[in-house]
Amino acid sequence: MKIGIAADHHGIKVKENIKKYLEKKGYEVIDYGTNTSDSVDYPEYAFKVAKLLKKEEIELGILICGTGIGMSIAANKIKGVRCALVHNYKEAKLAKEHNHANCLAISASLSMFKIKDILDTFIKTKFSKLERHQRRVDMLNNNK
């Protein structure tokens, strides 16, 4: 599985820890920045990952910033991206199972223990494909 990851200046350390964790599990993780602690504009990094998701060059996206809010808003501007801001494994499971989320936004303030739980749950959970969930995802994908 090919996973794109990006962070703003608040999320660099978390991004590096996530990369190591996922690579040890055998995933291909592609880093789209930032790699500086200097203040950066988070939408730039969210857009990089989201555009690659849209083109299906990566299978999942992971975005990290101070709260995760800005990254999720930015990523969801790109048609076909369903980025969920999650704080725990239950939200990660439901985001994937019900909303067919293809991108996670995570707060840099979460513990790595919690982040690992979120990542494992998100990656292993499958979209339910129940008619009501598919109908809603179709509505999201077709919104003009």
Side-chain angles (χ1 to χ4, degrees):
M1 177 180 293
K2 193 182 285 190
I3 301 171
I5 190 168
D8 73 356
H9 51 285
H10 293 290
I12 292 173
K13 289 180 184 171
V14 172
K15 177 179 62 108
E16 292 304 317
N17 287 331
I18 289 172
K19 279 174 36 183
K20 288 176 192 167
Y21 178 71
L22 293 177
E23 286 169 347
K24 280 183 186 175
K25 290 185 158 271
Y27 298 106
E28 181 181 355
V29 182
I30 305 166
D31 186 342
Y32 294 99
T34 189
N35 295 307
T36 178
S37 59
D38 297 335
S39 182
V40 297
D41 296 326
Y42 65 83
E44 190 177 315
Y45 298 92
F47 292 154
K48 285 180 188 180
V49 170
K51 288 176 181 176
L52 292 167
L53 277 169
K54 180 181 181 175
K55 291 193 276 184
E56 299 180 354
E57 292 183 24
I58 57 175
E59 295 169 69
L60 293 176
I62 300 170
L63 303 170
I64 307 106
C65 67
T67 63
I69 296 168
M71 287 287 211
S72 66
I73 291 170
N76 282 317
K77 296 290 184 184
I78 305 302
K79 187 173 177 73
V81 174
R82 294 171 304 281
C83 185
L85 171 59
V86 299
H87 302 94
N88 57 57
Y89 78 92
K90 185 175 181 180
E91 291 174 359
K93 180 179 188 308
L94 293 173
K96 189 80 166 286
E97 195 173 77
H98 292 193
N99 307 114
H100 203 10
N102 53 10
C103 189
L104 280 178
I106 301 172
S107 168
S109 66
L110 293 177
S111 71
M112 274 312 295
F113 176 81
K114 195 171 258 193
I115 290 172
K116 288 175 182 179
D117 202 20
I118 288 168
L119 293 169
D120 291 340
T121 301
F122 187 76
I123 290 169
K124 76 176 182 187
T125 301
K126 304 289 183 211
F127 178 51
S128 74
K129 297 184 182 179
L130 289 175
E131 189 277 330
R132 70 179 187 269
H133 298 309
Q134 185 62 61
R135 182 179 68 246
R136 294 166 186 158
V137 169
D138 290 344
M139 291 170 77
L140 292 170
N141 288 338
N142 294 318
N143 184 27
K144 302 201 192 262

